[in-house]
Amino acid sequence: MLFLSRLSVSRGVNRSIPCRGLCAELRCQGVTPEVMAICPKLMESSDNGAMKTLRIATRKSPLALWQTEHVAALLKAQHPQLEIQLVPLSTRGDELLDRSLAAIGGKGLFLKELELAMLRDEADCAVHSLKDVPMELEPGFVMPAIIARGSHADAWVSNHFDSIAALPAGARVGTSSLRRRAQLQALRQDLRIDDLRGNVNSRLAKLDAGEYQAILLACAGLERLGFASRIRARLEAPEWLPAPAQGAIAVECREDAADVQALFAALDDANTRVCVSAERAMNRALDGSCHVPVAALAGLDGDMLHLQGLVGDAHTGVQVRAEARAPRQAAEALGQQVAAALLAQGAGDFIRA
């Protein structure tokens, strides 16, 4: 099926109109006479309806560009004739660096401009770090592919100290995450934990300038940008839990863009999708966001799914934990089960704080 994704309709926002060579149907859709006139030509040259060019919206940060180029390379391997164009965009989340994400509206700020570009027909899809994607997508959008997950672990990065325990009292640690702050507070309440925003390169530069004695980042981001050597220690489960879906890359597109969804079908990793579905279901049931220190990690042992969850207090380090197992087909229910167990232990007090 050919979609006229580059052509405008005469009302509202640009939309992809399915073209079946039925001009009467197109007229009912409100398509302009000019579009109707060239419709048969498009059908004749459509190469069985395959898309010729795909425009991928992305943030401009080095990590976002790496991830988008990675997805583009995987897609190109599946569709060698497809031309791929990157559409780099600046988001409010990237621009407002003087305040915490919780203070400026949350991680959804990283998606808004990219979604608007898709609605304006300036891009066909977008690539995101899945941990930055809100638990509920905006109406009219879907995630046709979740790429095989990278490292889920957090990275301890320091030029002088091998571990959290090695830091002197009062040492300054940088992180933009309430989740990391809560887990760090649980281990060391004598540390000074300050907000740290910006891309990976700028955060490392602040560490190297001596502004911090250590910083916390995601291992996946450091590895993707060639900074694996900066990882002094990996903070791993069960002692330390990551953000829900950390290390996973997601593709988002419009729900009516069936051609785009078909292109990405082969890139969807079933095991990664089932794990992050459980993690995100737990977070959704908790009404979690960047305003709440929530951590989750799911793993597969054969067809059994194991989910660990945590909710904490970023100021005191007090936290509650829960875990459970279920068949992989019950990922959503497992997430809800672990969320219920956390709430039964008082997680709601942290969420409402």
Side-chain angles (χ1 to χ4, degrees):
M1 181 184 295
L2 174 66
F3 279 73
L4 308 183
S5 59
R6 310 292 188 275
L7 303 175
S8 62
V9 298
S10 61
R11 64 175 189 274
V13 178
N14 288 356
R15 301 181 186 279
S16 297
I17 304 298
C19 177
R20 304 179 182 85
L22 302 176
C23 291
E25 178 178 345
L26 289 173
R27 186 180 296 109
C28 292
Q29 297 271 4
V31 177
T32 61
E34 291 81 5
V35 171
M36 292 172 58
I38 64 173
C39 175
K41 297 179 182 178
L42 284 169
M43 288 296 292
E44 293 170 2
S45 62
S46 66
D47 187 23
N48 296 322
M51 289 186 71
K52 300 294 188 182
T53 303
L54 182 78
R55 302 160 299 168
I56 308 179
T58 174
R59 293 162 57 193
K60 292 181 178 179
S61 74
L63 179 56
L65 289 169
W66 185 98
Q67 292 178 161
T68 305
E69 290 167 355
H70 174 64
V71 170
L74 294 174
L75 193 62
K76 191 76 171 176
Q78 294 290 328
H79 307 281
Q81 303 306 313
L82 182 67
E83 179 184 348
I84 299 176
Q85 299 174 357
L86 268 57
V87 183
L89 299 169
S90 180
T91 72
R92 281 179 56 79
D94 296 309
E95 295 166 355
L96 301 176
L97 300 178
D98 58 338
R99 285 164 283 171
S100 68
L101 280 176
I104 62 176
K107 292 182 177 180
L109 292 177
F110 291 129
L111 276 70
K112 187 175 180 63
E113 280 78 5
L114 278 61
E115 290 176 338
L116 288 174
M118 287 185 276
L119 290 175
R120 292 191 298 256
D121 194 28
E122 297 167 359
D124 302 301
C125 60
V127 171
H128 309 296
S129 292
L130 185 51
K131 70 180 180 64
D132 293 336
V133 177
M135 297 306 106
E136 298 288 352
L137 292 178
E138 289 293 321
F141 290 97
V142 295
M143 286 191 294
I146 298 175
I147 313 304
R149 193 175 202 166
S151 173
H152 64 260
D154 276 336
W156 174 256
V157 185
S158 176
N159 292 327
H160 305 291
F161 302 100
D162 289 335
S163 65
I164 296 172
L167 279 179
R172 190 182 188 207
V173 181
T175 176
S176 61
S177 163
L178 293 178
R179 172 191 59 82
R180 291 172 181 148
R181 180 187 291 264
Q183 293 185 88
L184 190 55
Q185 282 280 17
L187 299 172
R188 292 285 304 271
Q189 293 192 352
D190 60 325
L191 299 177
R192 176 185 170 187
I193 307 173
D194 290 334
D195 198 52
L196 175 63
R197 296 283 316 283
N199 61 43
V200 171
N201 304 63
S202 66
R203 296 187 198 193
L204 290 172
K206 291 178 181 180
L207 172 70
D208 294 339
E211 296 182 32
Y212 302 89
Q213 279 67 60
I215 60 176
L216 296 171
L217 298 170
C219 286
L222 289 168
E223 291 166 348
R224 288 164 180 165
L225 291 176
F227 293 129
S229 62
R230 300 300 302 265
I231 302 173
R232 196 90 174 210
R234 292 175 181 270
L235 305 179
E236 298 267 18
E239 291 81 9
W240 187 282
L241 294 182
Q246 184 163 309
I249 300 171
V251 177
E252 182 186 24
C253 72
R254 283 170 34 186
E255 190 174 22
D256 60 4
D259 50 352
V260 177
Q261 295 176 47
L263 282 175
F264 281 102
L267 270 59
D268 190 54
D269 186 78
N271 288 344
T272 297
R273 183 176 283 271
V274 74
C275 288
V276 300
S277 293
E279 296 165 16
R280 286 170 60 82
M282 187 204 85
N283 201 17
R284 187 182 304 112
L286 292 169
D287 198 23
S289 67
C290 67
H291 300 269
V292 183
V294 174
L297 179 65
L300 282 165
D301 182 7
D303 285 334
M304 290 299 293
L305 187 61
H306 176 217
L307 175 62
Q308 305 170 75
L310 175 154
V311 180
D313 186 312
H315 302 291
T316 66
V318 176
Q319 57 187 236
V320 294
R321 290 173 174 256
E323 60 183 297
R325 289 174 170 80
R328 62 181 295 152
Q329 296 85 353
E332 291 281 333
L334 179 61
Q336 294 169 5
Q337 178 185 349
V338 172
L342 290 167
L343 292 170
Q345 297 179 63
D349 295 337
F350 303 139
I351 295 170
R352 291 187 295 268

